[in-house]
Amino acid sequence: HLGHAARIRGRGMSLPLSKAWRIARRDLNARFRGLRLLLVCIFLGTAALAAIGTLTTAISRELESSGQELLGGDLEVEVWQRTLRPEEVKALSAYGTISSGYRMQAMASTPEAAAPIELKAVDAKWPMFGQLVLADGRSVGAPTGKEAWIAETALERLGIKVGDSFKVGTVTLRAAGVIKDEPDRLSEGFQLGPTIIVAEGVPAEAGLIAPGALYQSKHRIAFADPSRDPEAVEEALTKAFPTAGFDIRTRDRASPGADRFVRQMSDFLTLVGLAALMGAIAAARAARTYDTVMLRVLGASRRQILLLQLAEYGLLAGVLALVALGLGGGLAWVVITQLFEFDWLPDWGEVLG
């Protein structure tokens, strides 16, 4: 038979395309021999790329659209171990309304327990964007007097409930409500303990901003002109106060920690997806060697074999890609809406690209 096939090929004859396609279709419908690993690799690779594509575009869009709320202003100036000088306040006030406060690590205590906390002191203008929502459903602003908005975890560690008292430094505070949704939480970055929000004057009264104390003063600006370019303001402030030690962030970079997380996750899952697809190619090449040889023996030309394999793999890849795209998009939807509690805003053009 092999000699007969060789004579046929020698006379310039080739396997009819209809017969070659029938062989390929029979292989697909009946046995899927050698294609199982290919299918798994294509499915996993496409699902990973679809998931990370929808996830990163949705998170990026949410960060862009909610930059003011996440940062708490159009621009933030942060300074370590001091507050702003009069000339610095004057310069910032020229751009709009300023809301100032402090952030520091501290200890909260009761007679029976103590816990490390993240103390956040805010003035009466906070929050300038978004709302602080408490567990009882109230939307509130900055606490007043010796009241404190306190995270649920802090209540549990101190063994107290709403209405009870506790101490921070030398000041006795009252837990006036439990924090459910803090508008600028994402921009605050890593913290060592649960958040307790107090009035701006509490840290000074508690002795927590004395000379040598480790704290940050934060000053958020809501521009009087919403169309003003935050980057231009940052450049102007840096030029006017080159030695002030300003750490400046704009609404376009409200949460650098989240940006880094999304970028690193995107790089990792992209590598996973590409590795799976490369595995699919290698598996397919090894699995189809026998079929390629048989088709050549039966008289198929290289062009026919190439077209048949493209059609065969294209059909499989298309069906699997659609299924994987749906699965990857569904996984991304769960992460975005349930874990991050963001709006679902994927860029499908970029994802499909």
Side-chain angles (χ1 to χ4, degrees), residues 200-284:
E200 184 182 15
V202 168
E205 189 174 347
L208 299 177
I209 56 174
L214 191 61
Y215 66 92
Q216 301 163 290
S217 67
K218 290 173 170 280
H219 313 273
R220 279 104 179 234
I221 308 171
F223 291 157
D225 179 5
S227 63
R228 186 182 291 275
D229 181 11
E231 303 292 340
V233 175
E234 178 182 5
E235 184 178 349
L237 291 174
T238 302
K239 185 177 180 180
F241 303 100
T243 61
F246 287 169
D247 183 6
I248 302 176
R249 283 189 294 163
T250 68
R251 62 185 181 226
D252 300 324
R253 303 192 311 274
S255 181
D259 289 340
R260 283 194 301 272
F261 168 75
V262 171
R263 185 168 57 251
Q264 291 169 357
M265 183 174 59
S266 174
D267 292 342
F268 173 73
L269 288 182
T270 298
L271 288 176
V272 171
L274 291 176
L277 292 178
M278 290 176 66
I281 295 172

Side-chain angles (χ1 to χ4, degrees), residues 23 61 67 77 80 119 142 163 166 187 194 222 242 270 292 297:
I23 293 172
R61 282 191 166 191
V77 176
W80 279 92
L119 188 66
F166 63 96
S187 69
T270 298
T292 300
V297 168

Side-chain angles (χ1 to χ4, degrees), residues 66-323:
S66 305
Q68 288 177 316
E69 181 175 336
L70 294 176
L71 184 65
D74 293 298
L75 182 139
E76 178 189 77
V77 176
E78 182 181 292
V79 190
W80 279 92
Q81 295 181 285
R82 71 175 182 88
T83 188
L84 294 180
R85 302 183 181 99
E87 63 273 17
E88 294 167 345
V89 173
K90 182 179 179 181
L92 267 61
S93 299
Y95 296 106
T97 303
I98 303 177
S99 174
S100 297
Y102 302 97
R103 183 187 179 205
M104 65 198 71
Q105 303 296 325
M107 288 292 294
S109 64
T110 66
E112 294 79 24
I117 60 159
E118 181 82 11
L119 188 66
K120 179 175 179 176
V122 295
D123 65 12
K125 299 172 187 175
W126 181 90
M128 294 191 293
F129 296 94
Q131 290 184 325
L132 175 68
V133 180
L134 301 180
D136 59 11
R138 286 183 293 160
S139 295
V140 297
T144 58
K146 299 301 187 294
E147 291 186 339
W149 310 135
I150 184 169
E152 180 70 33
T153 308
L155 284 179
E156 294 172 357
R157 292 180 181 178
L158 294 174
I160 61 176
K161 60 183 184 298
V162 174
D164 290 345
S165 297
F166 63 96
K167 295 189 71 173
V168 173
T170 59
V171 172
T172 299
L173 302 171
R174 186 178 71 88
V178 179
I179 301 169
K180 179 182 178 182
D181 185 11
E182 184 183 349
D184 52 1
R185 169 67 191 90
L186 194 59
S187 69
E188 297 288 4
F190 176 76
Q191 59 185 53
L192 296 176
T195 300
I196 294 181
I197 302 175
V198 297
E200 184 182 15
V202 168
E205 189 174 347
L208 299 177
I209 56 174
L214 191 61
Y215 66 92
Q216 301 163 290
S217 67
K218 290 173 170 280
H219 313 273
R220 279 104 179 234
I221 308 171
F223 291 157
D225 179 5
S227 63
R228 186 182 291 275
D229 181 11
E231 303 292 340
V233 175
E234 178 182 5
E235 184 178 349
L237 291 174
T238 302
K239 185 177 180 180
F241 303 100
T243 61
F246 287 169
D247 183 6
I248 302 176
R249 283 189 294 163
T250 68
R251 62 185 181 226
D252 300 324
R253 303 192 311 274
S255 181
D259 289 340
R260 283 194 301 272
F261 168 75
V262 171
R263 185 168 57 251
Q264 291 169 357
M265 183 174 59
S266 174
D267 292 342
F268 173 73
L269 288 182
T270 298
L271 288 176
V272 171
L274 291 176
L277 292 178
M278 290 176 66
I281 295 172
R285 182 177 180 182
R288 307 304 284 173
T289 300
Y290 175 82
D291 298 318
T292 300
V293 172
M294 290 304 299
L295 287 172
R296 288 288 290 165
V297 168
L298 291 173
S301 66
R302 292 181 179 179
R303 181 174 179 274
Q304 286 177 318
I305 293 173
L306 177 61
L307 291 176
L308 284 173
Q309 290 185 348
L310 286 176
E312 185 176 324
Y313 296 152
L315 177 62
L316 287 172
V319 173
L320 283 174
L322 289 176
V323 176

